[in-house]
Every structure is written in structure tokens, then in C-alpha cells.
Amino acid sequence: MRANTWAGRNKVEVRDVPDPKILNKRDAIVRITSTAICGSDLHLVDGYVPTMQDGDVMGHEFMGEVVEVGSGVAADRLRVGDRVVVPFPIACGACAACAAELYSCCENTNPNAGIAEKMFGHPVAGIFGYSHLTGGFAGGQAQYARVPFADVGPLKIESDLTDEQVLFLSDILPTGYMGAEMCDIQPSDVVAVWGAGPVGQFAMDSARVLGAAKVIAIDKEPYRLRMAEEAGHIPVNFDEVDVRSRLLELTGGRGPDKCIDAVGLEATHGSAHIAAYDRIKQAVRSETERPHALRQAILSCRSGGVVSVIGVYGGLLDKFPAGAWMNRSLTLRTGQCHVQRYMKPLLERIERGEIDPTRIITHTLPLDEAERGFEIFKNKQDNCEKVVLKP
Amino acid sequence: MTPLAAKDRQDEVQRRGRGLGWMSLGLGVAQLAAPDTVRRISGVDDSATSRAVVPLVGVRELVHAAGLLTSRRKSAWAWTRVAGDAMDLTALGIALARRGGSRRRRLLAVTGAIAAITVVDLLTAVQATRKKDVGSGPARKGGSMELTATTTIRKPTSEVYAFWRDLENLPTFMAHLEQVRTTGARTSRWTADAPFGKDVGWDAEITEEVPGEKIAWRSTGNADVPNTGSVRFVPAPDGVSTEVHVVLAYDIPGGTIGKAVAKYFGEEPHQQLDDDLRRLKQVLETGEVVRSDGAPWGKRARKEFPQRPAQPLSDAELAKGADA
Ligand SMILES: NC(=O)c1ccc[n+]([C@@H]2O[C@H](COP(=O)([O-])OP(=O)(O)OC[C@H]3O[C@@H](n4cnc5c(N)ncnc54)[C@H](O)[C@@H]3O)[C@@H](O)[C@H]2O)c1
Ligand SMILES: [Zn+2]
Ligand SMILES: [Zn+2]
């Protein structure tokens, strides 16, 4: 089959690879009809997530049709012919983490738990196409994928919603939603979202759905800010204005009640000096992150507020404003999304028309053009917000 | 030294190596971020040379830090710190010869501190080097080795106990076992998997069993690798899960078998038993050992990284199976 693979730093390549096979009894094989490129894939391609290998099949946002199931998958759970969206974290459904609905922390699905434990203190779940640290599972930017624990994760789509309407249930819609949910939003809340990428856009929409009074979008890409504005959010361009002053203005001096970091470890900074400082530290490995958005979110948040982090971090960061966090009673919440927890309720919201996930799709390309897809998404060319690939 | 004391000392060396790494990180950052303060405290704020030297030393410290914090080979990186100390002491000596008064007092204090740090660095470097010679300690030279590990399984103690008590189940999750055959109520015949020692086998007997709570066993007769083991099953505080506490002890002989066993356990013998218990948990909670494209061989997956790429296996690879 054809598959988009990691081919070293800053390089992806669509190659011919073997078709996937059932390796465990509870596996299914899915013929992929739609898949997408995610901001998390950029961290892999840019070389910030260790343990990638040449030839790793990328992609963790995909859906399609079940073409084969293992002997351990009960027919009332999943059958050949079912149309499914596959959540990016692989979860067993039986461990203590799964019982607590902390699916991305599943204790059983990462065959490389030993390395993950060394990096993170405790292991994390397996994830499709997302380094060997999270299990070494082939991803979904391909014609077919093997889906372990197929009787737990995949969501059956039985209505006639299009791929485009449901594809993002695999990751970014639940992720944005979880970012907003962790904020414990009250009707009087002003919510500020750093990053107007796909995840940020969905965090904004979710904050609105959960009843926020005002939602602010912070980014530097005018077209992404315009997209947020068209959806009813207030744009703030950090290249043009001082974010802190603008936020104070927009909140009567209080600061946003809830702040969401939807940027992660590759944030850029308006000041060249500070951007250079973190880039150098990242290069000599004395920090692995460039946490500008996180720092700014913590310093901006009103006292007693919540900072919700859905942007990805991988290792160690420097100049964490611990003083602001501690002395001003801030709550910090975070996590890789526990996608399985949100798929059904969000599908219902899509069916009821409360959220329109298709609004962020700017490009649809054949899988064979994945390389170009990565390029325009990464470099923000051609007003690219989200790329859907068709195998 | 007893094997356990040796292990404690190795842990202490690793810990100290990491501690020195963090110290380098702090120093490096201070020298880069606030070089003037560092120069004032050290009494060399009157020298133009020091303006250039202090940030350079800072960069060097960051290199030490990166090495000590991220590398498992602490010895080489600890020696780079010793070399750095020698450089610093030389520079301080030159500076001292040229100064008097309060600057000289500050310089003397800093020199004293660096001298003390040099002693710690030297000690760590020497011990880390010796640790490398010892390899996986007793395993390499022959001797006894004790491993402990623990996990929590979301199943009642009775079920986890019953699974383990049927000793024939052990090879489903213990990487070093090919087969266990029950030969009597309390006796069994164990065969090792090739990487542990080709054609190695031994008889074992259960020495203690308390249903739902504990099982202990030991090899009998003329075992190639005499060993004992025990496992305790303790109800976890959540009221549904079982804590599994395992202790294994091996008497590792010299010669070829000893070498194979040492190689099997490698640099981090504990990792093997930790992984065994992860697989036990997978089997009991999900029914099987979980496989990925990068690590497709379940308990025969010998290497965590680099492994085969996360890409589906070809028919030929699948037919061939794991490397022995
Ligand atoms: N927690 C999860 O489960 C999960 C799931 C999916 C994605 N993610 C992460 O979410 C983050 C965003 O993903 P995405 O697909 O939207 O990526 P993206 O790269 O398209 O979006 C990031 C946006 O942040 C903006 N940005 C950069 N620096 C900024 C700063 N200092 N302040 C404000 N905005 C800044 C960029 O211009 C860009 O528009 C990534 O880190 C991704 O890995 C997390
Ligand atoms: Zn994603
Ligand atoms: Zn689980």
C-alpha cells in the first residue's frame, strides 16, 4: 500500500510499504477513506520528539471502513463493513487508567513502556504514528491501518454525515473540547486561546458551546485570526500588539478568567531576543521546549483562574513562571486528549448542528501529495489551516 | 562487597551524576544569563578577560549538563567535569596571583569551593568508571543477583494468584522462559528461552504457598543457574486491584552460561523483570501481550530502540518471526 513516512528531520516521503496484518486478536484492519495532517505531526517532522525512525508511517487522525477483524473482536462491537472514526490514543478499556476514562494514559497499550517511563516517570498509552516512545505503531496517513483494541476505541458512524464532518472526532475536535472543558467555564468567563491553528479553533468553538461570555484568539497569522473572527471570536495579533495590554483592555484590567495554550513546544515569540534565547537553549538541549505561549498564558490569567494546556510538550522547559502560578492561585490542567471520552457526545453535537468541524478545512489533497500538504501546513502557505488527505 | 551493596553504590553514582548535571545546568545558566554577577562574586569583575571567559565557561557547563542528565554513560561526562574543574582552578590560580584585598578574599572563597567540587567530581568519575568495568555487576563475573519488581493489576487477588500458581502460564509473560511443565503437585521442569542460555533447564519446587497471598519456589538438583523466587499478592487500596510484588534471585555461574545470562540481563537487569510484569498485566487485563509494528514480537522483543520501523511487516518478516 501507499503510506506517508517519516524520512528524517524535515522530510516526509510517500512510499510503498507492506499492507498491515492482524497481530493481536482484538485488532481490526481499516481501509482509510480520509486522514489529516496535525500540528503534532509537525513536532515529529521538525525533530522535537525523540525515537522517530526512518520509515515510520505517520498520521493519527483517520477514519474508514473495517475490512478485517481479529478473532477476539465481538460481532456486536465491530464488523467488517462498519464505517468508523479511530481515536488517536490506543486504549485497552480494562486498566485503571481506562476505568477512570484517562485513555491517553492507558497502562497496557505501549509495548515500549520502558522508554516512556524513563522519559516521563510513568509510561503513556500507545499512539498511532507518533514515535516509538508511544509504542511504534504505524499511523493512518496510508491506505490501510491496523487498529489494536478495535472493540474499544473506534466510533461507528451510522448516519450519513460526510467524512469531513466526523473525521476530526479522531483528535482535534475532542482535544479542543477537552481544552475548554478543563477550564470549568462559567457564564461570566472570558476565555483566551493561544494559537488559532485547528486545535485552537476548536477550543474556541467549544468554549463558546460551553457558555463562555467572550472568546479571544491569539496568533500572528492574519488569515487564521480572520477565520477565528468569522466564527465570532475576538482576534489579537501578537506580532502587532502587546498581548498583555490588549488582554487587560478586553477584560477591564482583570485578565482572562481562563487561558488555553493550543500552541505547544514550538511557539514563536514577538521579540527576536527572547525567541533566540529559547532556540539556542533548545539546540544545546538544555531545554526541549519553547514555551512562550505557556509563559504568557500563566502571566496573563486572572488570579484564581485556570490555565489549560493542550499544546504538546515533550521534555524540559526553562523559565516556568512558578511564582505567578503559585502566588496567584492558578490551576494548571493538561493532558493528551482522552479522545474516547468525548467522541459520542461530540458526534451528537455535530448531528445537532452545534459545532461545524468542516469550517477549518482549507485543503484536500490526494495521499500521494502528503509532502506538499506538510509543506503548506507547516509554512502557513496558501492560507492553509487544515489539510485532509484522501488515500 | 555483597551484590546488593554494589547495586546501591551504583545507584548512588547515577544519582550523584544526575545531581552534578543539574548543578552544571544552574551554573551554566547563571554564567550566561548574569555573567556580571558571577564575575563580581568571584572577584574578577576588574578583568576584561573574564568578561569573555565567564560566558564561555557557562556554555561548557551546559554541555556537561546535557551529557550528565541525558546520557546513561555518566563516567565519560563526569570526566569532562573534572577536566573543566582543572581549567577553572588554573584560571583562578592565575587570577589569584594578580590580586589582593577583598577581591583576593572573594577569589579564595570561590577557589576553595571549586576545589571541593573537584573532589566530588573526581570521586564520581572514578566510581562511574569502575561501575562500567563491573558491567551488570555480579552477572558479569558470576555471583548472586537479586531483582525486585512490582505492578498493580485490575483483577482480584484470587484470579492473579491462580494464574501464577499455574506455573505453565509463566512463559506467556516471562521473557527468559521457553516452557514450564508441571511434574507434580509442587514440582515442575523449567526450560530457558535461547537468549537466556541455550539448552538451559532446571527442576523447581514450590517451597511455600498461601492461596491468594504468596508463592515461593526454588530450583532443585544441579541447576545450571540456581535460582529462587517469590511473589506476594496484596489487595490494592482501590478494592478491586491486586499489587504483585516479585523477588527473583539468581546464582550466576562463570563460563559460557554465565556470559549468556549476563548478556541477557544487560546493563539494566531490572528492566527485564519490569517488562515481564508489564506483560503479565497485559495478559491478565487484556488477554494478550500487546504488539506494535515497531515491536511486533511480544516478549521476544529484545530491543526497545532502535527497533524495526513503525511500518507493517512484510509476509517474509512475519513468517521469519523474531530473531532468536
Ligand atoms: N493534547 C492533545 O491531545 C493534542 C492533540 C492534538 C494536537 N495537540 C497539540 O496542539 C498544538 C496545536 O496544534 P495545531 O494542529 O493547531 O497546530 P498548528 O501548528 O497549526 O497551530 C499552532 C498555532 O500557534 C500559533 N502560535 C505560535 N506561537 C504562538 C504564540 N507565542 N502565541 C500564540 N500563538 C502562537 C501558530 O502561528 C499556529 O497558528 C500542537 O502543539 C499540537 O501538538 C495536542
Ligand atoms: Zn493530532
Ligand atoms: Zn487501558
Side-chain angles (χ1 to χ4, degrees), chain A residues 71-123:
Chain A
S71 61
V73 179
D76 59 341
R77 274 296 303 137
L78 203 69
R79 292 166 198 259
V80 169
D82 283 348
R83 182 170 175 236
V84 291
V85 180
V86 180
F88 79 82
I90 303 171
C92 79
C95 69
C98 287
E101 297 197 309
L102 296 166
Y103 299 101
S104 69
C105 301
C106 174
E107 297 160 8
N108 283 322
T109 53
N110 185 349
N112 299 330
I115 346 178
E117 193 171 73
K118 282 195 196 97
M119 282 276 296
F120 298 145
H122 290 279

Side-chain angles (χ1 to χ4, degrees), chain A residues 37-43 60-61 88 130 171-172 175 178 193-201 218-221 224 238 261-270 292-293 296 309-313 335-339 377 380 385-386:
Chain A
I37 302 174
C38 176
S40 302
D41 295 330
L42 298 182
H43 303 323
H60 56 268
E61 303 181 356
F88 79 82
Y130 198 67
D171 175 357
I172 53 173
T175 298
M178 183 169 111
V193 179
W194 274 256
V199 171
Q201 301 280 351
I218 303 159
D219 204 304
K220 69 170 180 350
E221 302 299 334
R224 293 189 164 197
F238 72 82
D261 169 358
V263 179
L265 63 88
E266 293 185 69
T268 48
H269 195 281
H292 309 303
Q296 200 169 56
V309 182
I310 43 176
V312 160
Y313 293 89
Q336 287 284 1
C337 185
H338 306 296
V339 178
F377 178 57
K380 322 242 166 22
E385 179 80 21
K386 186 76 177 177

Side-chain angles (χ1 to χ4, degrees), chain A residues 49-254:
Chain A
V49 178
T51 75
M52 287 298 291
Q53 281 185 223
D54 190 11
D56 287 354
V57 177
M58 306 210 29
H60 56 268
E61 303 181 356
F62 61 98
M63 64 176 297
E65 184 196 330
V66 176
V67 292
E68 193 182 344
V69 292
S71 61
V73 179
D76 59 341
R77 274 296 303 137
L78 203 69
R79 292 166 198 259
V80 169
D82 283 348
R83 182 170 175 236
V84 291
V85 180
V86 180
F88 79 82
I90 303 171
C92 79
C95 69
C98 287
E101 297 197 309
L102 296 166
Y103 299 101
S104 69
C105 301
C106 174
E107 297 160 8
N108 283 322
T109 53
N110 185 349
N112 299 330
I115 346 178
E117 193 171 73
K118 282 195 196 97
M119 282 276 296
F120 298 145
H122 290 279
V124 291
I127 296 179
F128 293 102
Y130 198 67
S131 88
H132 291 252
L133 192 63
T134 57
F137 289 95
Q141 286 164 11
Q143 290 181 295
Y144 294 89
R146 162 186 173 244
V147 177
F149 296 103
D151 51 347
V152 179
L155 173 76
K156 275 193 257 186
I157 304 295
E158 278 148 331
S159 57
D160 54 4
L161 294 172
T162 62
D163 275 19
E164 282 67 19
Q165 283 174 295
V166 293
L167 171 62
F168 302 139
L169 288 168
S170 59
D171 175 357
I172 53 173
L173 180 56
T175 298
Y177 186 86
M178 183 169 111
E181 193 193 58
M182 288 190 295
C183 288
D184 190 15
I185 290 172
Q186 307 299 312
S188 58
D189 278 351
V190 177
V191 179
V193 179
W194 274 256
V199 171
Q201 301 280 351
F202 286 152
M204 296 169 209
D205 291 357
S206 303
R208 156 86 39 70
V209 163
L210 290 173
K214 224 189 239 186
V215 180
I216 300 168
I218 303 159
D219 204 304
K220 69 170 180 350
E221 302 299 334
Y223 73 94
R224 293 189 164 197
L225 289 170
R226 221 176 304 123
M227 182 177 268
E229 194 174 11
E230 277 159 18
H233 314 302
I234 305 164
V236 172
N237 187 327
F238 72 82
D239 247 2
E240 289 168 2
V241 299
D242 177 60
V243 173
R244 183 183 147 77
S245 329
R246 182 77 186 115
L247 288 177
L248 289 177
E249 229 170 76
L250 286 168
T251 57
R254 302 183 305 275

Side-chain angles (χ1 to χ4, degrees), chain A residues 63 71 77 275 299 318 330 351 391:
Chain A
M63 64 176 297
S71 61
R77 274 296 303 137
L299 290 170
D318 186 24
L330 299 179
E351 280 165 346

Side-chain angles (χ1 to χ4, degrees), chain A residues 21-41:
Chain A
K21 295 158 190 78
I22 303 270
L23 295 179
N24 279 112
K25 290 196 205 101
R26 292 165 69 186
D27 291 351
I29 305 293
V30 170
R31 183 181 62 80
I32 297 167
T33 52
S34 296
T35 175
I37 302 174
C38 176
S40 302
D41 295 330

